[in-house]
Amino acid sequence: MLNLTPLSNDNPAQTMRDTMLELSKHDAIALPDGMDLTKPFLITVPDKRKVEDLTHKYLSAAQHLKPTQRKGTARLKDLESLIAWANRFKGDSSVLFANPVMDTPSLTCIADYHDEGPADPTNPLGDPSARHGHHRGVYDFPLSEDWKAWMAVSDTPLEKDDMGEFIETQAKNIMDPTPAILAGVQDDKNDDWENRLIETACKIEGRYGQLTQLLQMSKQFLVNETSDLKLTTNRDTGEAEMKFINEHKGLNGQPLNLPNLIIIAIPVFLNGPLYRMPVRFRYRKTGGQVKFILSIYNPEKAFEASFDESLDLAVAHTDLPLFKGTPEA
């Protein structure tokens, strides 16, 4: 406690000076010996001997000289760079997270992920297994332009001219069926992809066509529709049944017998390997208009195969555990 009673020999000016010196006195600041983030950094200041917490200022000063932790997100441009980044910064708790969404697939390495095992909330110094998860590397898989083009028109009705323009633009992706595929019989002598395409055609009663057929149809395709009334009678019961039979015919009057499958070979990801996929070809006639529909058959299978191939490569070269999904925010 301050003694503010002036001495008898002091004049008022001397007393005021001594009193102000006493009030403005403060304790010397001694910096901690090393950084201990479990303890506050406190000093007393002259304002009525108020205790002020300078921990945030101390940490700010420490951060100015050297970061206390790694944080930030690196955006990598290829899988090899993500692997190199992970190997540079990985530790015992590092992990990989794969987001298998077809529109926006990505692979994330969290260098400072939580340690495995249960949490310890009773520890007075905090859970020793907890990490911030602030240091990350992310690779957003770039879908190939061919993949995006075919997925954009898949299951979308197209006018004849639009279909022809698309086929001409993407003609480089269309491959003619091999003799084995045209034969339609699975055989051990065939390549695996040939047997797979043959199996698909058998499932959906498909017939593979060639690029030239598609181009010709896109330029000269006309459909004549005829309707016939068919009457059948059950002689035992006398019941009669009437049916309208619609038949599509070409200009020569013969029934149309068109291929309903084509084969495309496209990469899922930019600069990735080619995947051979069947595409269903259909048309719909409504009144005097004909719409064409191209539908990639089971594109999810090709995407998963390509994505999993990249994930296997990342795991093999980083030796990190992999989770499919998104990490904690």
Side-chain angles (χ1 to χ4, degrees), residues 46-174:
D47 184 12
K48 299 179 181 180
R49 315 314 300 171
K50 180 181 67 174
V51 177
E52 185 169 345
D53 187 353
L54 297 183
T55 305
H56 64 290
K57 294 182 179 180
Y58 176 65
L59 292 178
S60 178
Q63 285 279 107
H64 177 72
L65 298 176
K66 183 181 182 301
T68 57
Q69 63 173 323
R70 297 172 178 176
K71 62 181 180 178
T73 300
R75 294 284 175 179
L76 292 314
K77 292 300 184 181
D78 54 41
L79 182 61
E80 290 75 13
S81 295
L82 187 279
I83 292 173
W85 188 97
N87 287 330
R88 179 182 177 87
F89 298 112
K90 70 180 181 181
D92 293 338
S93 64
S94 301
V95 296
L96 297 172
F97 272 91
N99 186 18
V101 178
M102 287 184 62
D103 294 336
T104 56
S106 64
L107 180 63
T108 300
C109 175
I110 304 180
D112 57 339
Y113 196 63
H114 305 300
D115 278 337
E116 61 181 333
D120 184 8
T122 63
N123 193 315
L125 298 180
D127 182 4
S129 66
R131 300 291 184 272
H132 288 291
H134 289 167
H135 194 208
R136 306 185 178 198
V138 178
Y139 172 53
D140 297 313
F141 285 79
L143 299 171
S144 73
E145 293 301 321
D146 290 331
W147 174 270
K148 290 188 288 187
W150 282 95
M151 290 297 291
V153 302
S154 186
D155 294 323
T156 301
L158 300 174
E159 300 283 351
K160 182 182 69 171
D161 292 341
D162 293 334
M163 196 274 285
E165 182 177 348
F166 177 80
I167 292 299
E168 290 178 356
T169 303
Q170 302 299 135
K172 61 184 184 297
N173 304 142
I174 302 174

Side-chain angles (χ1 to χ4, degrees), residues 127-253:
D127 182 4
S129 66
R131 300 291 184 272
H132 288 291
H134 289 167
H135 194 208
R136 306 185 178 198
V138 178
Y139 172 53
D140 297 313
F141 285 79
L143 299 171
S144 73
E145 293 301 321
D146 290 331
W147 174 270
K148 290 188 288 187
W150 282 95
M151 290 297 291
V153 302
S154 186
D155 294 323
T156 301
L158 300 174
E159 300 283 351
K160 182 182 69 171
D161 292 341
D162 293 334
M163 196 274 285
E165 182 177 348
F166 177 80
I167 292 299
E168 290 178 356
T169 303
Q170 302 299 135
K172 61 184 184 297
N173 304 142
I174 302 174
M175 59 176 293
D176 288 337
T178 63
I181 293 176
L182 290 175
V185 178
Q186 299 186 56
D187 194 291
D188 293 338
K189 296 180 181 179
N190 300 340
D191 290 333
D192 290 340
W193 64 269
E194 289 178 313
N195 285 330
R196 177 169 50 83
L197 292 176
I198 293 171
E199 181 183 6
T200 299
C202 292
K203 287 181 179 179
I204 60 178
E205 298 182 354
R207 302 177 306 280
Y208 288 103
Q210 298 176 323
L211 173 61
T212 54
Q213 291 175 290
L214 283 180
L215 292 175
Q216 184 178 4
M217 281 189 292
S218 67
K219 295 176 181 178
Q220 302 177 352
F221 190 72
L222 294 175
V223 178
N224 292 322
E225 185 175 28
T226 60
S227 297
D228 295 324
L229 177 63
K230 182 178 181 181
L231 177 64
T232 58
T233 303
N234 188 323
R235 293 181 180 179
D236 296 330
T237 63
E239 294 179 349
E241 182 180 5
M242 291 189 298
K243 292 182 179 180
F244 278 102
I245 301 177
N246 292 335
E247 188 175 42
H248 290 172
K249 298 180 179 181
L251 293 178
N252 58 4

